[in-house]
Coordinates of all heavy atoms in Angstrom, one line a residue:
M33 N -5.5 -19.8 -18.8 CA -6.6 -19.3 -17.8 C -5.9 -18.3 -16.8 O -4.9 -18.8 -16.3 CB -7.2 -20.5 -17.2 CG -8.3 -20.1 -16.1 SD -9.1 -21.5 -15.3 CE -10.3 -21.9 -16.6
P34 N -6.5 -17.2 -16.6 CA -5.9 -16.3 -15.6 C -5.8 -16.9 -14.2 O -6.8 -17.7 -13.8 CB -6.9 -15.1 -15.6 CG -7.8 -15.3 -16.8 CD -7.7 -16.8 -17.2
K35 N -4.8 -16.7 -13.5 CA -4.6 -17.3 -12.2 C -3.8 -16.4 -11.3 O -3.0 -15.6 -11.8 CB -4.1 -18.7 -12.3 CG -2.7 -18.7 -12.9 CD -2.3 -20.2 -13.2 CE -0.9 -20.2 -14.0 NZ -0.7 -21.5 -14.5
M36 N -3.9 -16.7 -10.0 CA -3.0 -16.0 -9.1 C -2.7 -16.9 -7.9 O -3.4 -17.9 -7.7 CB -3.6 -14.7 -8.6 CG -4.9 -14.8 -7.7 SD -5.4 -13.2 -7.0 CE -4.6 -13.4 -5.4
L37 N -1.6 -16.7 -7.3 CA -1.2 -17.6 -6.2 C -1.6 -17.0 -4.8 O -1.4 -15.9 -4.5 CB 0.4 -17.7 -6.2 CG 1.0 -18.7 -5.2 CD1 0.5 -20.1 -5.5 CD2 2.5 -18.5 -5.3
C38 N -2.4 -17.8 -4.1 CA -2.8 -17.5 -2.7 C -1.6 -17.7 -1.8 O -0.7 -18.4 -2.1 CB -3.9 -18.3 -2.3 SG -4.6 -17.9 -0.7
S39 N -1.6 -16.9 -0.7 CA -0.5 -17.1 0.3 C -0.4 -18.5 0.9 O 0.7 -18.8 1.3 CB -0.8 -16.1 1.5 OG -0.8 -14.7 1.0
C40 N -1.5 -19.2 0.8 CA -1.4 -20.6 1.3 C -0.8 -21.6 0.3 O -0.6 -22.8 0.6 CB -2.8 -21.1 1.6 SG -3.8 -21.5 0.2
G41 N -0.5 -21.1 -0.9 CA 0.1 -22.0 -2.0 C -0.9 -22.5 -3.0 O -0.5 -23.0 -4.0
N42 N -2.2 -22.3 -2.7 CA -3.3 -22.7 -3.6 C -3.2 -21.7 -4.9 O -3.0 -20.5 -4.7 CB -4.6 -22.7 -2.9 CG -5.7 -23.2 -3.8 OD1 -5.5 -24.1 -4.6 ND2 -6.9 -22.7 -3.7
I43 N -3.5 -22.2 -6.0 CA -3.6 -21.4 -7.2 C -5.0 -21.1 -7.5 O -5.9 -22.0 -7.6 CB -3.0 -22.1 -8.4 CG1 -1.5 -22.3 -8.2 CG2 -3.3 -21.3 -9.7 CD1 -0.8 -23.2 -9.2
L44 N -5.4 -19.8 -7.5 CA -6.7 -19.4 -7.7 C -6.9 -19.1 -9.2 O -6.2 -18.3 -9.8 CB -7.0 -18.0 -7.0 CG -6.8 -18.0 -5.5 CD1 -7.2 -16.7 -4.9 CD2 -7.5 -19.1 -4.8
R45 N -7.8 -19.9 -9.9 CA -8.0 -19.8 -11.3 C -9.4 -19.0 -11.4 O -10.4 -19.4 -10.9 CB -8.1 -21.1 -11.9 CG -6.7 -21.8 -11.9 CD -6.8 -23.2 -12.6 NE -5.5 -23.8 -12.8 CZ -4.9 -24.4 -11.7 NH1 -5.5 -24.6 -10.6 NH2 -3.6 -24.9 -11.9
F46 N -9.3 -17.9 -12.2 CA -10.5 -17.1 -12.3 C -10.9 -16.8 -13.8 O -11.5 -15.8 -14.1 CB -10.4 -15.8 -11.6 CG -9.1 -15.0 -11.8 CD1 -9.1 -14.1 -12.7 CD2 -8.0 -15.3 -11.0 CE1 -7.9 -13.3 -12.9 CE2 -6.9 -14.6 -11.2 CZ -6.8 -13.6 -12.2
G47 N -10.7 -17.8 -14.7 CA -11.0 -17.6 -16.0 C -12.4 -18.0 -16.5 O -12.9 -17.7 -17.5
D48 N -13.1 -18.8 -15.5 CA -14.4 -19.3 -15.9 C -15.4 -18.2 -15.9 O -15.3 -17.3 -15.1 CB -14.7 -20.4 -14.8 CG -13.9 -21.7 -14.9 OD1 -13.3 -21.9 -16.1 OD2 -13.8 -22.4 -13.9
I49 N -16.4 -18.4 -16.6 CA -17.6 -17.5 -16.6 C -18.8 -18.4 -16.6 O -19.1 -19.1 -17.5 CB -17.7 -16.6 -17.9 CG1 -16.4 -15.7 -18.0 CG2 -18.9 -15.8 -17.9 CD1 -16.4 -15.0 -19.3
P50 N -19.6 -18.3 -15.5 CA -19.3 -17.6 -14.3 C -18.2 -18.2 -13.5 O -17.9 -19.4 -13.7 CB -20.7 -17.6 -13.5 CG -21.3 -18.9 -14.0 CD -20.9 -19.1 -15.4
C51 N -17.6 -17.4 -12.7 CA -16.4 -17.9 -11.9 C -16.9 -18.2 -10.5 O -17.5 -17.4 -9.8 CB -15.4 -16.7 -11.8 SG -14.0 -17.2 -10.9
K52 N -16.6 -19.4 -10.0 CA -17.2 -19.9 -8.7 C -16.4 -19.4 -7.6 O -16.9 -19.5 -6.4 CB -17.3 -21.4 -8.7 CG -16.0 -22.2 -8.8 CD -16.3 -23.7 -8.8 CE -15.0 -24.5 -9.3 NZ -14.1 -24.8 -8.2
I53 N -15.2 -18.8 -7.7 CA -14.6 -18.2 -6.6 C -14.7 -16.7 -6.5 O -14.1 -16.0 -5.7 CB -13.0 -18.6 -6.6 CG1 -12.3 -18.0 -7.8 CG2 -12.8 -20.1 -6.5 CD1 -10.8 -18.1 -7.7
Q54 N -15.4 -16.2 -7.5 CA -15.5 -14.7 -7.6 C -16.8 -14.3 -7.0 O -17.8 -14.8 -7.4 CB -15.4 -14.2 -9.0 CG -15.6 -12.7 -9.3 CD -15.5 -12.3 -10.7 OE1 -14.7 -12.9 -11.4 NE2 -16.3 -11.4 -11.1
Y55 N -16.8 -13.2 -6.2 CA -18.1 -12.6 -5.6 C -18.0 -11.1 -6.0 O -17.0 -10.5 -5.9 CB -18.1 -12.8 -4.1 CG -18.4 -14.2 -3.7 CD1 -17.3 -15.2 -3.7 CD2 -19.6 -14.7 -3.4 CE1 -17.6 -16.5 -3.4 CE2 -19.9 -16.0 -3.0 CZ -18.8 -16.9 -3.1 OH -19.0 -18.2 -2.7
N56 N -19.2 -10.6 -6.4 CA -19.3 -9.3 -6.9 C -20.1 -8.5 -5.8 O -21.1 -9.0 -5.3 CB -20.0 -9.2 -8.2 CG -19.3 -10.1 -9.3 OD1 -18.1 -10.1 -9.3 ND2 -20.1 -10.8 -10.0
F57 N -19.7 -7.3 -5.6 CA -20.5 -6.5 -4.5 C -20.5 -5.1 -4.9 O -19.7 -4.5 -5.8 CB -19.8 -6.7 -3.2 CG -18.4 -6.2 -3.0 CD1 -18.2 -4.9 -2.4 CD2 -17.4 -6.9 -3.5 CE1 -17.0 -4.4 -2.2 CE2 -16.1 -6.4 -3.3 CZ -15.8 -5.1 -2.7
I58 N -21.4 -4.3 -4.3 CA -21.5 -2.9 -4.5 C -21.7 -2.2 -3.2 O -22.5 -2.7 -2.4 CB -22.5 -2.6 -5.6 CG1 -22.5 -1.1 -6.0 CG2 -23.9 -3.0 -5.1 CD1 -23.4 -0.8 -7.2
S59 N -21.1 -1.1 -3.0 CA -21.4 -0.3 -1.7 C -22.8 0.2 -1.7 O -23.4 0.4 -2.8 CB -20.4 0.8 -1.6 OG -20.8 1.8 -2.4
D60 N -23.3 0.4 -0.5 CA -24.7 0.9 -0.4 C -24.8 2.4 -1.0 O -25.8 2.7 -1.6 CB -25.1 1.0 1.0 CG -26.6 1.1 1.2 OD1 -27.3 0.3 0.5 OD2 -27.1 1.9 2.0
V61 N -23.7 3.1 -0.9 CA -23.7 4.4 -1.5 C -23.7 4.4 -3.0 O -24.5 5.1 -3.6 CB -22.3 5.2 -1.0 CG1 -22.2 6.5 -1.8 CG2 -22.4 5.4 0.5
D62 N -23.0 3.5 -3.5 CA -23.0 3.4 -5.0 C -24.3 2.8 -5.5 O -24.9 3.2 -6.5 CB -21.9 2.5 -5.5 CG -20.5 3.2 -5.5 OD1 -20.6 4.4 -5.4 OD2 -19.5 2.6 -5.5
Y63 N -24.9 1.9 -4.7 CA -26.1 1.2 -5.1 C -27.3 2.3 -5.1 O -28.3 2.2 -5.9 CB -26.5 0.1 -4.3 CG -27.7 -0.7 -4.8 CD1 -27.6 -1.4 -5.9 CD2 -28.9 -0.6 -4.1 CE1 -28.8 -2.1 -6.4 CE2 -30.0 -1.3 -4.5 CZ -30.0 -2.0 -5.6 OH -31.1 -2.7 -6.1
D64 N -27.1 3.2 -4.0 CA -28.2 4.2 -3.9 C -28.3 5.1 -5.1 O -29.3 5.8 -5.4 CB -27.8 5.1 -2.7 CG -29.0 5.9 -2.2 OD1 -30.1 5.2 -2.0 OD2 -29.0 7.1 -2.2
K65 N -27.2 5.2 -5.9 CA -27.3 6.0 -7.2 C -28.0 5.3 -8.3 O -28.3 5.9 -9.3 CB -25.8 6.4 -7.6 CG -25.0 7.2 -6.6 CD -23.5 7.2 -7.0 CE -22.7 7.9 -5.9 NZ -21.3 7.6 -6.0
V66 N -28.1 4.0 -8.2 CA -28.9 3.2 -9.2 C -30.4 3.4 -9.1 O -30.9 3.3 -8.0 CB -28.6 1.8 -9.1 CG1 -29.3 1.0 -10.1 CG2 -27.1 1.5 -9.2
Q67 N -31.0 3.8 -10.2 CA -32.4 4.2 -10.2 C -33.2 3.3 -11.2 O -32.7 3.0 -12.2 CB -32.6 5.6 -10.5 CG -32.0 6.6 -9.6 CD -32.7 6.7 -8.2 OE1 -33.8 6.4 -8.1 NE2 -31.9 7.0 -7.2
G68 N -34.4 3.0 -10.8 CA -35.3 2.4 -11.8 C -34.8 1.0 -12.3 O -34.1 0.2 -11.6
L69 N -35.2 0.7 -13.5 CA -34.7 -0.6 -14.1 C -33.3 -0.6 -14.3 O -32.8 0.4 -14.8 CB -35.6 -0.9 -15.4 CG -37.1 -1.1 -15.3 CD1 -37.7 -1.2 -16.6 CD2 -37.3 -2.4 -14.5
V70 N -32.7 -1.7 -14.0 CA -31.2 -1.8 -14.0 C -30.7 -2.6 -15.2 O -31.2 -3.7 -15.4 CB -30.7 -2.3 -12.7 CG1 -29.2 -2.4 -12.8 CG2 -31.1 -1.4 -11.6
D71 N -29.8 -2.1 -16.0 CA -29.1 -2.9 -17.0 C -28.0 -3.7 -16.3 O -27.2 -3.1 -15.6 CB -28.5 -2.0 -18.0 CG -27.8 -2.7 -19.1 OD1 -26.7 -3.2 -19.0 OD2 -28.4 -2.9 -20.2
S72 N -28.1 -5.0 -16.5 CA -27.2 -5.9 -15.6 C -25.7 -5.6 -16.0 O -24.9 -5.7 -15.2 CB -27.5 -7.3 -15.9 OG -27.4 -7.6 -17.2
E73 N -25.4 -5.3 -17.2 CA -24.0 -5.0 -17.6 C -23.6 -3.7 -17.0 O -22.4 -3.7 -16.5 CB -24.0 -4.8 -19.1 CG -23.9 -6.1 -19.9 CD -22.7 -7.0 -19.5 OE1 -21.6 -6.5 -19.4 OE2 -22.9 -8.3 -19.3
E74 N -24.4 -2.7 -16.9 CA -24.0 -1.4 -16.3 C -23.8 -1.6 -14.8 O -22.9 -1.0 -14.3 CB -25.0 -0.4 -16.5 CG -25.0 0.2 -18.0 CD -26.1 1.3 -18.2 OE1 -26.5 1.9 -17.3 OE2 -26.5 1.4 -19.4
L75 N -24.6 -2.4 -14.2 CA -24.5 -2.7 -12.7 C -23.2 -3.4 -12.5 O -22.5 -3.1 -11.6 CB -25.7 -3.4 -12.3 CG -25.7 -3.7 -10.7 CD1 -25.8 -2.4 -10.0 CD2 -26.9 -4.5 -10.3
Y76 N -22.9 -4.4 -13.4 CA -21.8 -5.3 -13.2 C -20.5 -4.4 -13.3 O -19.6 -4.6 -12.5 CB -21.7 -6.3 -14.3 CG -20.6 -7.3 -14.2 CD1 -20.7 -8.4 -13.3 CD2 -19.4 -7.2 -14.9 CE1 -19.7 -9.3 -13.1 CE2 -18.4 -8.1 -14.7 CZ -18.5 -9.1 -13.9 OH -17.5 -10.0 -13.7
I77 N -20.4 -3.4 -14.2 CA -19.3 -2.5 -14.3 C -19.0 -1.7 -13.0 O -17.9 -1.5 -12.7 CB -19.5 -1.6 -15.5 CG1 -19.4 -2.3 -16.8 CG2 -18.5 -0.4 -15.4 CD1 -19.9 -1.6 -18.1
Q78 N -20.1 -1.4 -12.3 CA -19.9 -0.6 -11.1 C -19.5 -1.5 -9.9 O -19.1 -1.0 -8.9 CB -21.3 0.1 -10.7 CG -21.6 1.2 -11.8 CD -22.9 1.9 -11.4 OE1 -22.9 2.4 -10.2 NE2 -23.8 2.0 -12.2
M79 N -19.7 -2.8 -10.0 CA -19.3 -3.7 -8.9 C -17.9 -3.8 -8.7 O -17.1 -3.8 -9.7 CB -20.0 -5.0 -9.1 CG -21.5 -5.0 -8.9 SD -22.1 -6.7 -9.1 CE -23.8 -6.5 -8.9
K80 N -17.5 -4.1 -7.4 CA -16.1 -4.5 -7.2 C -16.2 -6.0 -6.9 O -17.3 -6.5 -6.9 CB -15.6 -3.7 -5.9 CG -15.6 -2.3 -6.1 CD -15.1 -1.6 -4.8 CE -15.3 -0.1 -4.9 NZ -14.5 0.5 -6.0
M81 N -15.1 -6.6 -6.7 CA -15.1 -8.1 -6.6 C -14.0 -8.6 -5.7 O -13.0 -7.9 -5.4 CB -15.1 -8.8 -8.0 CG -13.8 -8.5 -8.7 SD -14.0 -8.9 -10.4 CE -15.2 -7.8 -11.0
F82 N -14.3 -9.8 -5.2 CA -13.3 -10.4 -4.4 C -13.3 -11.9 -4.8 O -14.2 -12.4 -5.3 CB -13.4 -10.3 -2.9 CG -14.6 -10.9 -2.2 CD1 -14.7 -12.2 -1.9 CD2 -15.7 -10.1 -2.0 CE1 -15.8 -12.8 -1.3 CE2 -16.9 -10.7 -1.5 CZ -16.9 -12.0 -1.1
F83 N -12.1 -12.5 -4.6 CA -12.0 -14.0 -4.8 C -11.9 -14.7 -3.4 O -11.4 -14.1 -2.5 CB -10.7 -14.4 -5.5 CG -10.7 -13.9 -7.0 CD1 -9.5 -13.4 -7.5 CD2 -11.8 -13.7 -7.7 CE1 -9.5 -13.0 -8.8 CE2 -11.8 -13.3 -9.0 CZ -10.6 -12.9 -9.6
V84 N -12.4 -15.9 -3.3 CA -12.2 -16.6 -2.1 C -11.4 -17.9 -2.4 O -11.6 -18.5 -3.5 CB -13.6 -17.0 -1.5 CG1 -14.5 -17.9 -2.4 CG2 -13.4 -17.8 -0.2
C85 N -10.4 -18.0 -1.6 CA -9.5 -19.3 -1.8 C -10.3 -20.4 -1.1 O -10.6 -20.4 0.0 CB -8.2 -19.1 -1.1 SG -7.1 -20.6 -1.2
E86 N -10.5 -21.4 -1.9 CA -11.3 -22.6 -1.4 C -10.5 -23.4 -0.4 O -11.1 -24.3 0.3 CB -11.8 -23.4 -2.5 CG -12.8 -22.6 -3.4 CD -13.3 -23.4 -4.6 OE1 -12.5 -24.1 -5.3 OE2 -14.5 -23.5 -4.8
E87 N -9.2 -23.3 -0.4 CA -8.4 -24.0 0.5 C -8.3 -23.4 1.9 O -8.6 -24.1 2.9 CB -6.9 -24.1 0.0 CG -6.8 -25.0 -1.3 CD -7.2 -26.5 -0.9 OE1 -6.8 -27.0 0.1 OE2 -7.8 -27.1 -1.9
C88 N -7.9 -22.1 2.0 CA -7.7 -21.5 3.3 C -8.8 -20.4 3.6 O -8.8 -19.9 4.7 CB -6.4 -20.8 3.3 SG -6.2 -19.4 2.2
K89 N -9.7 -20.2 2.8 CA -10.8 -19.2 2.9 C -10.4 -17.8 3.0 O -11.2 -16.9 3.4 CB -11.7 -19.6 4.1 CG -12.1 -21.0 4.2 CD -12.9 -21.4 2.9 CE -13.4 -22.9 3.0 NZ -13.9 -23.3 1.7
R90 N -9.1 -17.5 2.6 CA -8.8 -16.1 2.5 C -9.6 -15.4 1.5 O -10.0 -16.0 0.5 CB -7.3 -16.0 2.0 CG -6.2 -16.0 3.1 CD -4.9 -15.8 2.5 NE -3.8 -15.8 3.5 CZ -3.3 -17.0 4.0 NH1 -3.7 -18.1 3.7 NH2 -2.3 -16.8 4.9
L91 N -9.8 -14.1 1.7 CA -10.5 -13.4 0.7 C -9.5 -12.3 0.1 O -8.7 -11.7 0.8 CB -11.7 -12.5 1.3 CG -12.8 -13.4 2.1 CD1 -13.8 -12.5 2.6 CD2 -13.3 -14.5 1.1
W92 N -9.6 -12.1 -1.3 CA -8.7 -11.2 -2.0 C -9.6 -10.2 -2.6 O -10.3 -10.4 -3.6 CB -7.9 -12.1 -3.0 CG -7.0 -13.0 -2.4 CD1 -7.2 -14.4 -2.1 CD2 -5.6 -12.7 -2.0 NE1 -6.1 -14.8 -1.5 CE2 -5.1 -13.9 -1.5 CE3 -4.8 -11.6 -2.1 CZ2 -3.8 -14.0 -1.1 CZ3 -3.5 -11.7 -1.6 CH2 -3.0 -12.8 -1.1
F93 N -9.6 -9.0 -2.0 CA -10.5 -7.9 -2.4 C -9.7 -7.0 -3.5 O -8.7 -6.5 -3.1 CB -10.9 -7.1 -1.2 CG -12.2 -7.6 -0.6 CD1 -12.1 -8.7 0.2 CD2 -13.4 -6.9 -0.8 CE1 -13.2 -9.2 0.9 CE2 -14.5 -7.4 -0.1 CZ -14.4 -8.5 0.6
F94 N -10.4 -6.8 -4.6 CA -9.9 -5.9 -5.6 C -10.7 -4.6 -5.4 O -11.7 -4.3 -6.1 CB -10.1 -6.5 -7.0 CG -9.2 -7.6 -7.3 CD1 -9.6 -8.9 -6.9 CD2 -8.0 -7.4 -7.9 CE1 -8.7 -10.0 -7.1 CE2 -7.1 -8.5 -8.2 CZ -7.6 -9.8 -7.8
W95 N -10.2 -3.7 -4.5 CA -11.0 -2.5 -4.1 C -10.8 -1.5 -5.2 O -11.7 -0.7 -5.4 CB -10.4 -1.9 -2.8 CG -10.7 -2.7 -1.6 CD1 -9.8 -3.4 -0.8 CD2 -12.0 -2.8 -1.0 NE1 -10.5 -4.0 0.2 CE2 -11.8 -3.6 0.2 CE3 -13.3 -2.3 -1.3 CZ2 -12.9 -4.0 1.0 CZ3 -14.3 -2.7 -0.4 CH2 -14.1 -3.5 0.7
D96 N -9.8 -1.6 -6.0 CA -9.5 -0.5 -7.0 C -9.4 -1.2 -8.4 O -8.5 -0.7 -9.2 CB -8.3 0.3 -6.7 CG -8.4 1.0 -5.4 OD1 -9.4 1.7 -5.2 OD2 -7.5 0.8 -4.5
G97 N -10.0 -2.3 -8.7 CA -10.0 -2.9 -10.0 C -8.9 -3.8 -10.1 O -8.0 -4.0 -9.2
F98 N -8.8 -4.5 -11.2 CA -7.8 -5.6 -11.4 C -6.4 -5.0 -11.7 O -5.5 -5.8 -11.6 CB -8.3 -6.5 -12.6 CG -9.2 -7.6 -12.2 CD1 -10.4 -7.7 -12.8 CD2 -8.9 -8.5 -11.2 CE1 -11.3 -8.8 -12.5 CE2 -9.7 -9.5 -10.8 CZ -10.9 -9.7 -11.5
D99 N -6.3 -3.8 -12.0 CA -5.0 -3.2 -12.3 C -4.2 -3.1 -11.0 O -3.0 -3.0 -11.1 CB -5.2 -1.8 -13.0 CG -5.8 -1.9 -14.3 OD1 -5.8 -3.1 -14.9 OD2 -6.5 -1.0 -14.8
K100 N -4.9 -3.0 -9.9 CA -4.1 -2.7 -8.6 C -4.1 -4.1 -7.9 O -5.0 -4.9 -8.0 CB -4.8 -1.7 -7.7 CG -5.0 -0.3 -8.4 CD -3.7 0.5 -8.3 CE -3.8 1.8 -9.0 NZ -4.9 2.6 -8.6
P101 N -3.0 -4.3 -7.1 CA -2.9 -5.5 -6.3 C -4.1 -5.7 -5.3 O -4.5 -4.6 -4.8 CB -1.6 -5.3 -5.5 CG -0.9 -4.2 -6.1 CD -1.9 -3.4 -6.8
P102 N -4.6 -6.9 -5.1 CA -5.7 -7.1 -4.2 C -5.3 -7.0 -2.8 O -4.1 -7.2 -2.4 CB -6.2 -8.5 -4.5 CG -5.0 -9.1 -5.1 CD -4.2 -8.1 -5.8
Q103 N -6.2 -6.7 -1.8 CA -6.0 -6.7 -0.4 C -6.4 -8.1 0.1 O -7.4 -8.6 -0.2 CB -6.9 -5.6 0.3 CG -6.9 -5.6 1.7 CD -5.6 -5.0 2.3 OE1 -5.2 -3.9 1.9 NE2 -5.0 -5.8 3.2
E104 N -5.5 -8.6 0.9 CA -5.7 -10.0 1.4 C -6.3 -9.9 2.8 O -6.0 -9.1 3.7 CB -4.3 -10.6 1.6 CG -4.3 -12.0 2.2 CD -2.8 -12.4 2.4 OE1 -1.9 -11.7 2.1 OE2 -2.7 -13.6 2.8
Y105 N -7.4 -10.7 3.0 CA -8.0 -10.8 4.3 C -8.0 -12.3 4.8 O -8.4 -13.2 4.0 CB -9.5 -10.4 4.2 CG -9.7 -8.9 3.9 CD1 -9.6 -8.4 2.6 CD2 -9.8 -8.0 5.0 CE1 -9.7 -7.1 2.3 CE2 -9.9 -6.6 4.7 CZ -9.8 -6.2 3.4 OH -9.9 -4.8 3.1
V106 N -7.5 -12.5 5.9 CA -7.3 -13.8 6.5 C -8.3 -14.1 7.6 O -8.4 -13.2 8.5 CB -5.9 -14.0 7.0 CG1 -5.7 -15.4 7.5 CG2 -4.8 -13.5 6.0
P107 N -9.0 -15.2 7.5 CA -10.1 -15.4 8.5 C -9.3 -15.7 9.9 O -8.3 -16.4 9.9 CB -10.8 -16.7 8.0 CG -10.2 -17.1 6.8 CD -9.1 -16.2 6.4
S108 N -10.0 -15.3 11.0 CA -9.4 -15.7 12.3 C -9.7 -17.2 12.5 O -10.7 -17.7 12.0 CB -10.1 -14.8 13.3 OG -11.5 -15.0 13.4
K109 N -8.9 -17.7 13.4 CA -9.0 -19.2 13.7 C -10.2 -19.4 14.5 O -10.5 -18.6 15.5 CB -7.7 -19.6 14.3 CG -6.5 -19.5 13.4 CD -6.5 -20.6 12.3 CE -5.2 -20.5 11.6 NZ -5.3 -20.5 10.1
Ligands
LIG276 ZN1 -5.4 -19.9 0.2

């Protein structure tokens, strides 16, 4: 199963479909280009995603796809 190590030491496993730690999102600019009835697969391809660590609540944003390293966001205390 695909996995990555969070900075807190927790292992994020993201092989499940659907994946409970994965969130998909699309910018308003990109969504504005979507017209009419939407094919869910096509919309999915345009989405970016982030993972949430269930231990420390860090977010790992893949702004440029899975090929590039994710950006880490740490919640304030
Ligand atoms: Zn973590």
